[in-house]
Amino acid sequence: MQQNKWQANKIGLQIEMNNISSHSLILGGEKALNKISETPRLDSELLLAKVLKVDRVQFYYKDIFPERKQVKTYEALLKKRMDGIPIAYLTGYKEFWSLPLKVNQDTLIPRPETEHLVQQSLIKLENLDKNYQILELGTGCGAVAIALAGERPQASIVATDLSVKALKIGKYNAKKLQIDNIQFVCSDWLSGIYNQKFDLIISNPPYVDAKKINYYEPTSLSHEPSVALFADDHGRSCIKEIIQKSIRFLNRDSWLIIEHGHDQSYFCKQLMQSFQLKAIQTTLDYSGIGRITAGQRLD
């Protein structure tokens, strides 16, 4: 009997179409992704789980035998992953602060390092009045604002972004997670904020040098929105604007906290100092790199 076969072009896999087990598909996917992903097994499992609409944990308990159409769908996703499209865009979600967040190519993919921004914010908020006002600049999919809103439901949070499409995703995530203490505002940094004072202003702005875009591998950052990644002036223009303009929006004893590049902590400290912020400090990320700098307005 002639066997139907699935040929994954460009990948070099050949798997029989009839009675293909999830185990075989995952192993084939892992082999295919080995050279382009740091987590090829996980990626393969996540893609197949999306296609089959199951939790990937099920693959460790039993073999599943997908239908022909499902195998073809898996093949298509595998090819896209081979082309460098991030796994989060293919699955449609990314976990951040243990929260499942919807993402797409209109939003930056939340990084684990940015959880330090949430951690430092919670530390600073411990010494403030419980009815505090928080402003996040450049919220994207809403990851930081939603994490803080869940941890501090008594806070009033304003989350801004220049992208209407990104704000739509942020609103979706907040509604999905039953978060109701965030106001999403379309604003170019602080241009859309009027007559308000905040106890905490936070931001993870673009900080990659725009002139060095060609230094990065095409598969690394090319699929994410460049407006959320790259900045002029050696990657410092957005940081500079935020620090300069945030001062008049800060209450007394309030904090400004910014995530920045590995070589920008000194720049942030100097600029914060020039605008009379005090208690300036930089904390390290999981890799031991200075990633978060905070300054306090005392007068």
Side-chain angles (χ1 to χ4, degrees):
M1 181 176 65
Q2 186 178 5
Q3 293 178 322
N4 293 319
K5 294 186 177 181
W6 167 58
Q7 179 71 42
N9 296 326
K10 300 181 183 179
I11 299 174
L13 296 177
Q14 194 175 54
I15 305 173
E16 292 187 4
M17 187 66 91
N18 292 333
N19 299 319
I20 310 172
S21 71
S22 56
H23 178 71
S24 296
L25 285 170
I26 290 169
L27 287 180
E30 180 182 10
K31 182 179 179 180
L33 298 175
N34 191 50
K35 291 184 178 180
I36 67 102
S37 173
E38 295 181 355
T39 56
R41 172 80 184 204
L42 175 61
D43 289 4
S44 182
E45 290 178 357
L46 288 171
L47 293 178
L48 188 57
K50 175 180 173 61
V51 172
L52 300 181
K53 298 180 180 179
V54 299
D55 190 309
R56 69 182 185 88
V57 174
Q58 291 191 31
F59 299 140
Y60 292 87
Y61 291 98
K62 63 179 180 179
D63 245 351
I64 302 173
F65 294 87
E67 298 175 358
R68 181 189 299 263
K69 184 178 180 180
Q70 292 173 319
V71 174
K72 286 184 175 293
T73 301
Y74 174 71
E75 173 192 12
L77 288 175
L78 204 57
K79 287 181 179 179
K80 289 181 179 180
R81 184 70 186 103
M82 286 292 293
D83 289 336
I85 297 178
I87 190 71
Y89 288 156
L90 295 176
T91 61
Y93 83 96
K94 176 68 175 180
E95 184 176 292
F96 179 86
W97 203 256
S98 299
L99 301 170
L101 299 173
K102 179 180 179 180
V103 296
N104 63 20
Q105 289 179 299
D106 295 318
T107 68
L108 194 69
I109 299 171
R111 269 61 169 181
E113 292 82 4
T114 303
E115 291 188 349
H116 287 279
L117 192 58
V118 178
Q119 291 172 347
Q120 288 302 307
S121 297
L122 292 174
I123 290 171
K124 305 308 182 191
L125 290 172
E126 287 179 357
N127 298 321
L128 297 178
D129 180 74
K130 289 189 176 181
N131 297 316
Y132 30 66
Q133 308 286 320
I134 300 173
L135 171 64
E136 185 196 5
L137 302 171
T139 191
C141 69
V144 173
I146 291 171
L148 286 175
E151 295 288 345
R152 298 291 184 269
Q154 72 274 25
S156 295
I157 302 175
V158 176
T160 75
D161 205 286
L162 181 62
S163 169
V164 174
K165 292 181 178 179
L167 286 173
K168 184 178 179 180
I169 299 298
K171 291 177 181 178
Y172 172 89
N173 284 326
K175 183 176 181 179
K176 188 77 173 178
L177 294 167
Q178 299 182 321
I179 298 294
D180 59 6
N181 55 329
I182 302 176
Q183 177 188 3
F184 290 92
V185 176
C186 187
S187 175
D188 185 1
W189 300 129
L190 290 136
S191 63
I193 305 300
Y194 306 100
N195 303 319
Q196 288 179 270
K197 294 280 189 177
F198 298 92
D199 302 297
L200 174 69
I201 298 179
I202 52 175
S203 183
N204 174 22
Y207 54 72
V208 179
D209 189 347
K211 293 183 179 179
K212 294 182 179 179
I213 186 171
N214 294 325
Y215 292 9
Y216 294 87
E217 291 293 329
T219 57
S220 59
L221 301 177
S222 59
H223 294 279
E224 296 185 75
S226 59
V227 68
L229 289 167
F230 300 99
D232 296 327
D233 188 21
H234 306 290
R236 303 182 302 185
S237 60
C238 295
I239 293 173
K240 186 175 182 180
E241 180 175 351
I242 290 169
I243 294 176
Q244 287 178 332
K245 294 184 178 180
S246 289
I247 305 305
R248 68 187 184 91
F249 292 93
L250 288 168
N251 282 322
R252 184 175 180 177
D253 297 328
S254 59
W255 288 89
L256 172 63
I257 309 179
I258 293 180
E259 178 176 338
H260 50 72
H262 66 92
D263 57 352
Q264 295 171 334
S265 59
Y266 180 76
F267 171 75
C268 285
K269 287 179 179 179
Q270 290 295 103
L271 195 57
M272 285 183 177
Q273 188 174 23
S274 70
F275 282 92
Q276 309 304 312
L277 291 181
K278 308 297 181 181
I280 300 169
Q281 54 195 248
T282 296
T283 54
L284 308 181
D285 64 13
Y286 296 119
S287 302
I289 296 172
R291 187 71 66 181
I292 307 292
T293 296
Q296 186 177 27
R297 179 174 181 175
L298 294 178
D299 58 358

